[in-house]
Amino acid sequence: MLEVELDYQPWRTTYQRLNPSTTPTATSDGTVVAMMALTPGWIDQLYVLPAYQGRGVGSALVRLAQESPDALELWTFQVNVPARAFYARHGFREVELTDGATNEEHE
């Protein structure tokens, strides 16, 4: 059974210690299949295991984030066309496109 549950404990990585976030997860039979890191006004990360993509898991997490009264922003790679389309379906709009020269992955 697939369910979305809230986990308000920050992940214990260096990034999360520096930037505590709310981390909702989606589980299936007790196994985490998706996670989203949120800081006020931002979706910092959203990851869904490939086997669970296209099944509404990411949509459920984004809807959860959109329940916040704060404006919500995110950043994704310009080359990640499926992610850009996913976020557009959820009401996000592109405000800037870059060539990737200034990010770690250069994408």
Side-chain angles (χ1 to χ4, degrees):
M1 174 179 204
L2 188 63
E3 63 184 53
V4 176
E5 65 180 40
L6 281 175
D7 172 7
Y8 286 100
Q9 299 300 314
W11 284 41
R12 302 297 181 206
T13 64
T14 301
Y15 174 79
Q16 296 299 346
R17 281 194 303 275
L18 294 174
N19 301 291
S21 67
T22 300
T23 310
T25 59
T27 60
S28 178
D29 297 323
T31 300
V32 175
V33 298
M35 60 75 63
M36 178 173 56
L38 296 169
T39 52
W42 279 89
I43 294 178
D44 289 316
Q45 300 175 40
L46 175 61
Y47 180 76
V48 179
L49 289 174
Y52 290 86
Q53 293 174 6
R55 297 173 57 182
V57 178
S59 293
L61 289 171
V62 168
R63 282 192 303 272
L64 193 63
Q66 290 173 324
E67 291 176 5
S68 168
D70 298 327
L72 198 56
E73 298 181 65
L74 58 89
W75 186 93
T76 190
F77 293 117
Q78 182 174 336
V79 298
N80 192 343
V81 175
R84 291 170 54 200
F86 170 83
Y87 290 119
R89 285 193 306 274
H90 291 284
F92 290 89
R93 63 180 179 81
E94 295 176 344
V95 295
E96 180 181 6
L97 296 175
T98 70
D99 64 5
T102 59
N103 66 49
E104 293 176 6
E105 293 84 356
H106 301 289
E107 291 188 12

